[in-house]
Amino acid sequence: MDTRLGRLNFFGGFPDQASVDRLYDNLDFQRAVQAYLLALPVVNQVGNRDGILAVGPANTTVPIWETMVDARTVELTANNNTPYTWFWLDLRGGPLVVEAPPNVLGLANDMWYRWVGDIGLVGPDKGKGGKYLVLPPGYKGRVPSGYFVLRPGSYLTWIAWRSFLVGDDPKPGVDLVKKHTKIYRLGETNPPKLNFVDMSGKPFNMVAPADYPYWALLNKVVQEEPTDDVDATTLGFWASVGIMKGKPFAPDERMQKILAEAAIVGDATARAIMYRWRGADGYWYSDRNWRLGFVGGYKFEENGARLLNAYSGFFFYATGVTPAMDSRSVGEGSQYLAMFVDAKKTVLDGGKNYRLHLPPNIPIKNFWSVIVYDNQTRSMLQTDQRFPSVSSQNKKLKINPDGSVDVYFGPKAPAGLEDNWAQTVPGASWNILLRLYGPLQAFFDKTWRPGDIELQS
């Protein structure tokens, strides 16, 4: 029979050796691509973890972007609206207590990139601060009262939160974080001093490699972390390429070649999924190009089925999973809309000029922002601007007489509109995230409808 693999030969239904070799190569390649896509959450977290732990050891080092994240930090879709505090816990020595400061918005995710719990304003402390007891996987000991309990499915666990500006000043929120944050062993009476490291303005990479070393990073997590809660099919795909707990990852020359190609195709496939989504379910408006971050909720599921494209696409592009990011509560949490193409569904070209029109009465309780990201790194686009964004936090923002706002993109700012402009780079493509903090009813009922990005020249 003639197939996309070429001619396959059978004798009475039994394949000849050349056909067997070709079919196994194809099967291994197919499984490797799927294994790659299923591993995107894990390897995404490895990039996050390894970057942070390069600053200092877990449990005692607390990186903090005191004057916000800027374009020198290479991190998946980080924002520059509020200061981040971002650290890793190592639970291999037993339970840890994390004392969270008041008035922060945060989350905990494990190494498998599963939501563990919220901290702060949308967490159980309701923004008052409190003590969180973080228990290692399989913990069977006594759980004392007086704590908010988190049970991650991994020993290495990520916690992050953002503090808020007071007026235009990040310092009061940062000072509260430094004053109140503590990390210590359960039962410890003299908490160790934390090393807060200001990361603002420093070159820093938290994005994992996408090529052959990707597999070694996945294998390291599988070997070091409990896999009991990872579904059997996902573990089966990883096992099919030689990654299985308790066994060495030692692909032969043939398999190395297949894995190297599968990594290239896996990364390319994730880009196609995220940047050229097919299907109406990924769009907020039926007649516009605004993409949803979460399809199938923060678990990327529908009727018990994992929505594989939504799952892989999100973890290729973004950082952080919590129900609060997909909350449909008016005036609470935040909503995110992404745009990858212009009104004619053409790639956004850094050498050209564009305009985005935001109609009047932008439905926010708090503030909105538009941030420009590099399609290659999915991080803030590196330009002459430290912060490649336009936001209602900017008091110099020009607002039209009817209350609408126009946002401009291009290599040079339109005259007199510098505060409404985000710079782009010729030869690079880009995308944006529109963030609405404290979204109001007009967003949810879709009576407020932002325009598509329009090419100007």
Side-chain angles (χ1 to χ4, degrees), residues 179-348:
K179 178 180 179 180
H180 292 282
T181 303
K182 294 182 175 62
I183 303 171
Y184 51 92
R185 297 288 175 199
L186 180 62
E188 196 169 15
T189 56
N190 187 22
K193 183 179 180 180
L194 297 177
N195 178 27
F196 289 93
V197 181
D198 184 8
M199 302 300 297
S200 294
K202 297 178 180 178
F204 187 58
N205 177 48
M206 298 163 66
V207 176
D211 52 358
Y212 188 81
Y214 181 100
W215 301 110
L217 297 179
L218 172 61
N219 181 63
K220 192 171 192 305
V221 176
V222 170
Q223 301 308 326
E224 293 179 350
E225 296 287 1
T227 58
D228 308 39
D229 294 334
V230 181
D231 67 272
T233 300
T234 295
L235 291 176
F237 273 108
W238 295 344
S240 72
V241 300
I243 295 175
M244 182 181 287
K245 182 174 286 296
K247 294 188 177 181
F249 176 53
D252 59 21
E253 184 176 352
R254 167 187 162 276
M255 198 63 193
Q256 288 178 27
K257 183 177 178 180
I258 287 173
L259 288 172
E261 185 181 2
I264 294 170
V265 172
D267 178 74
T269 302
R271 292 173 184 277
I273 290 170
M274 198 61 197
Y275 297 155
R276 291 289 193 184
W277 180 265
R278 61 182 186 185
D281 56 345
Y283 294 90
W284 185 237
Y285 305 100
S286 61
D287 60 344
R288 307 194 180 189
N289 294 315
W290 288 105
R291 280 283 316 284
L292 290 166
F294 293 99
V295 179
Y298 76 96
K299 291 184 178 181
F300 311 97
E301 294 178 356
E302 185 176 336
N303 296 326
R306 171 66 46 79
L307 302 180
L308 294 172
N309 284 356
Y311 180 79
S312 299
F314 178 89
F315 287 110
F316 161 79
Y317 180 70
T319 301
V321 176
T322 164
M325 294 172 68
D326 192 41
S327 168
R328 299 297 170 93
S329 298
V330 174
E332 296 182 7
S334 54
Q335 286 291 319
Y336 298 66
L337 293 177
M339 182 77 77
F340 299 105
V341 294
D342 68 14
K344 296 183 178 180
K345 302 187 185 301
T346 301
V347 63
L348 298 167

Side-chain angles (χ1 to χ4, degrees), residues 420-439:
N420 291 50
W421 165 73
Q423 188 176 23
T424 60
V425 181
S429 64
W430 51 277
N431 67 80
I432 66 167
L433 274 174
L434 169 63
R435 291 176 167 91
L436 304 176
Y437 292 93

